[in-house]
Amino acid sequence: MIAPRRYLPSISALVAFEAAARHGSATQAAAELSLTQSAVSRQLRTLEEQLEVSLLAREGRGLALTPAGAAYVEKVRDILQRLAQASVSARTDPAAGALNLAILPGFGMHWLAPRLSDFATRHPEVTVNLSTRLKPFDFRTSAFDAAIHFGREDWPGVSYLPLLPEIVVPVCRPGLVEGEATDPKALLARDLLHLETRPRAWLRWFRALGADVDLPPGMVFDQFSTMAQAAIHGLGVALLPTFAADPYLARGELVLASDRTSESIGTYYLVWPSDRPESVPCRSFITWLAAQAESD
């Protein structure tokens, strides 16, 4: 319920009071507001009569706040600022804004980034900001609206949109392996390259093909791109997702190291906090990404 009219001064009276309090002068307040000094004085008098309290006292040629006026002006400034912000928001497209997205570097570079131009074309009102995060985090203490997650549905407090399974292929420099090995264990004769966030990826790949092996230690990398470069330079065999391997395979920089080419070791998801309403930009992104995943 709105307060009684007697407690709701006019905006013009509040603006005049705030300016006079800030300048300590009705004359300077009038100059700032493009009014006459008498008009500002009338606004101040009307405000005091409506509130039945003295807000300003004449002090020499200037005006000084009374204790009641000093307390009142702080609240008036806050109200005027919030009213101005609300007015700006009312004029702004409610669908506009920023989407802060946490991504995994390999997936972001090879799968998501090439598609973002389509989102920008369809939703020019949304600015997408990308930052790298390798592990789940607490949305309550971060500025992120959503994130790319790999693995299982084990991130607490989020909603999930499945994007695609991670299909991996073993790749190496041309000539490192003679043809495509028909026996997966033949790859053990070469150095195997590992990803820091997938320490068991090779083991799962071998076991999926029915080969129970003891893996020798090998070089460890923090990103698919650096591991791919190591493979290109002959440092070993890398296990890459198809979306990361395909460009290198197409250019002939890498070749398949086994005819047992693909096994799924997890799923990529878009996740966002389930305990707060989705912003319009976030909902636009979720809808668009769901269509991208379906058509991929």
Side-chain angles (χ1 to χ4, degrees):
M1 177 180 176
I2 302 298
R5 172 68 181 83
R6 62 172 297 193
Y7 297 117
L8 295 174
S10 69
I11 296 298
S12 56
L14 294 177
V15 170
F17 168 60
E18 190 283 327
R22 179 160 35 85
H23 290 292
S25 166
T27 301
Q28 292 183 37
E32 177 184 309
L33 300 175
S34 299
L35 299 172
T36 64
Q37 187 270 340
S38 60
V40 169
S41 295
R42 280 197 305 273
Q43 293 281 11
L44 297 177
R45 187 167 56 252
T46 299
L47 180 62
E48 289 181 321
E49 290 173 354
Q50 183 177 3
L51 299 181
E52 299 179 349
V53 64
S54 176
L55 301 173
L56 292 159
R58 183 162 295 282
E59 206 172 70
R61 292 190 158 200
L63 297 173
L65 288 164
T66 65
Y72 189 55
V73 76
E74 294 302 320
K75 294 181 175 63
V76 167
R77 284 175 179 146
D78 178 64
I79 290 168
L80 291 175
Q81 180 62 32
R82 287 191 284 118
L83 181 60
Q85 291 173 345
S87 299
V88 171
S89 297
R91 296 182 58 185
T92 303
D93 183 352
L99 174 74
N100 297 316
L101 180 66
I103 63 168
L104 300 172
F107 185 84
M109 178 192 306
H110 297 288
W111 192 88
L112 181 60
R115 292 167 167 79
L116 281 179
S117 61
D118 180 75
F119 180 77
T121 299
R122 296 173 184 272
H123 296 280
E125 76 283 0
V126 178
T127 300
V128 180
N129 302 316
L130 305 178
S131 297
T132 298
R133 292 293 185 276
L134 298 178
K135 297 179 180 179
F137 52 85
D138 190 344
F139 276 103
R140 294 172 300 179
T141 58
S142 79
F144 290 111
D145 301 296
I148 300 297
H149 174 55
F150 172 76
R152 298 172 295 161
E153 296 187 13
D154 55 2
W155 190 326
V158 302
S159 299
Y160 291 85
L161 171 65
L163 299 177
L164 72 161
E166 183 174 272
I167 306 298
V168 294
V169 292
V171 293
C172 64
R173 185 185 69 183
L176 186 69
V177 175
E178 294 183 5
E180 296 177 7
T182 56
D183 181 0
K185 292 184 179 180
L187 297 185
L188 296 175
R190 301 297 178 183
D191 292 325
L192 302 182
L193 308 180
H194 303 267
L195 193 70
E196 185 178 24
T197 55
R198 312 276 201 281
R200 296 174 57 83
W202 273 114
L203 191 61
R204 288 198 298 267
W205 185 80
F206 277 110
R207 287 181 176 172
L209 299 178
D212 193 6
V213 299
D214 293 322
L215 293 180
M219 297 178 67
V220 178
F221 300 85
D222 66 343
Q223 294 189 27
F224 288 128
S225 57
T226 50
M227 186 165 66
Q229 289 301 315
I232 289 172
H233 289 89
L235 296 179
V237 182
L239 199 59
L240 295 179
T242 50
F243 61 75
D246 285 345
Y248 301 107
L249 294 171
R251 293 193 296 266
E253 296 174 302
L254 293 172
V255 296
L256 294 175
S258 170
D259 64 352
R260 307 297 294 272
T261 55
S262 60
E263 293 296 334
S264 174
I265 63 171
T267 300
Y268 285 96
Y269 301 90
L270 179 74
V271 300
W272 61 96
S274 57
D275 62 350
R276 66 181 188 228
E278 300 153 8
S279 66
V280 176
C282 188
R283 170 47 52 191
S284 297
F285 188 76
I286 292 169
T287 301
W288 170 81
L289 198 58
Q292 292 292 309
E294 184 177 352
S295 65
D296 186 53

